[in-house]
């Protein structure tokens, strides 16, 4: 998480807002207690092989960020995980369940190339996306498989059920963020998408761009946190898991009314494809049924809701058949679901 990168003024305003919210919250309900063994903040241990695209990005042997495998040799992550495009010291660990102890299904690769989005802005976190090329392709197993990516024009209505996974902190707290207990098992947490309009109102109008997507429980207590950065947020469409977001930033972790902010994967289909010439990742159009409650949400400072006439079917053009290359490649990320429940 990028709490440190928050502009000071915005931070102070938010702190005041947060204080107010906390005071009100306290009067309404008892404080939420998080058991220390539940990490990613409010999550639980992920069964082995349930999120086979999850990778751990490590530098000089230590976990730094998460990422997701999109084909045999490319991983996507967040730009803020990198201070440069130097690949020195970086390793990508795949098929991993625990950060410590036994990992029978783990395979690792060094990094051949780090590509940061050219318009990544470290102040606003806009375009917080990176592409990493493995030193050599991996063989898929039950524990190592690519995820499908949300294609351009995908729609994630407010409330869309999503999962975030990672080895990040249990609890916010800068340098002293509480890490996972031994053996540091991958954590998963279920969070609903929160529409961009409402997310802007809660986080501060202007903080959430069209290149971002938010998720979180308004009551707080469930979120991604430091160390989860770069990792995937996914939603299931039919039998297919589609990555909608990349863990990017948040004001603290799991605080009430401060949903986490993720890079919106569907905005980067052509950028991603421009670097991957063969064996393109599988892009899947994610759809939501019915109108999005967020489209009418408003608050001071936010442009008024766009009034859409209900005569036309939709403002978004339907997926055209000119998309056939991506439709074809999407088969590559459609595997039987191994998620044990
Ligand atoms: C969005 O969904 C959340 C529940 O996940 C709900 O609390 C909130 O009111 C919804 N927003 C709108 C604008 O309906």
């Amino acid at each position: 998480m990028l709490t440190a990168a928050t502009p000071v003024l915005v931070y102070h305003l938010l702190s005041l807002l947060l204080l107010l919210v906390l005071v009100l919250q306290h009067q309404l309900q008892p404080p939420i207690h998080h058991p220390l063994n539940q990490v990613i903040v409010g999550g639980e241990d992920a069964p082995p092989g349930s999120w086979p695209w999850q990778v751990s990005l490590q530098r000089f042997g230590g976990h730094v960020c998460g990422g997701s495998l999109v084909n045999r040799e490319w991983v996507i992550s967040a730009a803020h995980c990198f201070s440069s495009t130097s690949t020195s010291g970086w390793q990508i660990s795949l098929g991993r369940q625990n950060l410590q102890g036994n990992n029978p299904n783990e395979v690792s690769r060094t990094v051949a190339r780090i590509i940061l989005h050219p318009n990544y802005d470290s102040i606003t976190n806009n375009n917080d996306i990176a592409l990493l090329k493995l030193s050599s392709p991996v063989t898929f197993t039950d524990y190592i498989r690519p995820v499908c990516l949300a294609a351009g024009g995908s729609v994630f209505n407010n409330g869309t059920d999503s999962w975030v996974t990672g080895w990040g902190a249990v609890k916010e707290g800068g340098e002293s963020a509480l890490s996972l207990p031994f053996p540091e098992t991958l954590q998963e947490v279920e969070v609903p998408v929160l529409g961009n309009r409402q997310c802007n109102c809660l986080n501060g109008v202007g903080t959430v761009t069209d290149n971002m997507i938010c998720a979180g429980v308004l009551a707080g207590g469930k979120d991604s946190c430091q160390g989860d950065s770069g990792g995937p947020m996914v939603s299931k469409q039919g039998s297919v898991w589609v990555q909608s977001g990349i863990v990017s930033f948040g004001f603290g972790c799991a605080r009430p009314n401060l949903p986490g902010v993720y890079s919106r994967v569907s905005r980067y289909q052509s950028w991603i494809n421009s670097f991957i010439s063969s064996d393109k990742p599988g892009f899947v159009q994610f759809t939501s049924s019915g109108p999005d409650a967020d489209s009418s949400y408003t608050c001071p400072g936010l442009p008024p809701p766009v009034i859409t006439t209900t005569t036309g079917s939709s403002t978004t053009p339907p997926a055209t058949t000119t998309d056939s290359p991506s439709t074809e490649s999407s088969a590559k990320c459609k595997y039987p679901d191994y998620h044990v429940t």
Side-chain angles (χ1 to χ4, degrees):
M1 284 292 168
L2 288 182
T3 329
T6 311
V8 173
L9 178 66
V10 175
Y11 189 81
H12 283 187
L13 285 171
L14 276 161
S15 304
L16 277 175
L17 185 76
L18 180 73
L19 197 70
L20 188 73
V21 165
L22 286 177
V23 167
L24 290 173
Q25 192 81 20
H26 195 74
Q27 291 167 344
L28 295 173
Q29 57 192 74
I32 303 148
H33 295 284
H34 311 299
L36 287 185
N37 60 349
Q38 296 197 345
V39 196
I40 203 173
V41 189
E44 54 192 33
D45 284 4
S50 28
W51 311 106
W53 43 83
Q54 174 82 47
V55 307
S56 164
L57 304 184
Q58 311 205 330
R59 189 122 207 245
F60 304 117
H63 171 83
V64 175
C65 270
S68 55
L69 186 69
V70 300
N71 70 10
R72 276 163 33 87
E73 55 183 348
W74 288 90
V75 159
I76 64 172
S77 184
H80 83 257
C81 293
F82 305 91
S83 53
S84 79
T85 54
S86 163
T87 57
S88 147
W90 284 100
Q91 259 204 328
I92 299 185
S93 172
L94 307 102
R96 195 168 185 130
Q97 171 74 351
N98 308 310
L99 285 188
Q100 298 182 60
N102 205 24
N103 274 297
N105 308 302
E106 195 236 355
V107 163
S108 76
R109 291 286 185 273
T110 53
V111 180
R113 195 175 170 196
I114 297 176
I115 301 164
L116 308 180
H117 196 284
N119 302 122
Y120 165 60
D121 184 329
S122 61
I123 307 289
T124 62
N125 303 309
N126 203 17
N127 301 302
D128 191 7
I129 182 170
L131 270 171
L132 312 177
K133 191 178 190 189
L134 309 185
S135 51
S136 66
V138 284
T139 302
F140 296 152
T141 68
D142 286 353
Y143 304 91
I144 302 175
R145 288 185 188 284
V147 67
C148 292
L149 300 177
S154 288
V155 177
F156 296 90
N157 277 2
N158 187 63
T160 302
D161 186 38
S162 312
W163 290 82
V164 183
T165 47
W167 286 278
V170 195
K171 203 171 179 280
E172 66 173 276
E175 295 297 307
S176 59
L178 286 180
S179 55
L180 286 159
F182 181 88
E184 302 194 52
T185 302
L186 179 67
Q187 299 294 299
E188 59 183 29
V189 70
E190 189 174 15
V191 281
V193 167
L194 193 81
N196 276 37
R197 294 181 61 88
Q198 190 169 9
C199 191
N200 253 309
C201 292
L202 293 170
N203 277 310
V205 174
T207 51
V208 181
T209 70
D210 290 346
N211 298 319
M212 303 173 187
I213 181 170
C214 303
V217 174
L218 295 177
K222 282 171 127 191
D223 199 2
S224 48
C225 202
Q226 277 169 310
D228 293 321
S229 285
M233 169 164 81
V234 292
S235 286
K236 206 173 187 187
Q237 180 162 264
S239 59
V240 180
W241 287 99
V242 181
Q243 183 172 354
S244 55
I246 300 166
V247 180
S248 180
F249 72 100
F251 298 99
C253 309
R255 295 185 189 172
N257 293 313
L258 286 175
V261 188
Y262 300 75
S263 309
R264 191 179 281 265
V265 170
S266 61
R267 302 278 294 182
Y268 300 99
Q269 180 169 2
S270 43
W271 183 74
I272 293 167
N273 276 337
S274 71
F275 294 99
I276 308 180
S277 45
S278 60
D279 185 28
K280 300 241 187 257
F283 281 93
V284 167
Q285 190 90 27
F286 195 95
T287 54
S288 292
S289 56
D292 186 357
D294 186 66
S295 61
S296 56
Y297 192 88
T298 200
C299 69
L302 203 65
V306 179
I307 315 295
T308 45
T309 46
T310 46
T311 46
S313 54
S314 162
T315 48
T316 12
T320 56
T321 46
T322 54
D323 260 354
S324 55
S326 81
T327 311
E328 190 189 314
S329 68
S330 68
K332 294 171 185 168
C333 58
K334 291 176 178 173
Y335 288 95
D337 190 6
Y338 288 92
H339 197 129
V340 187
T341 44

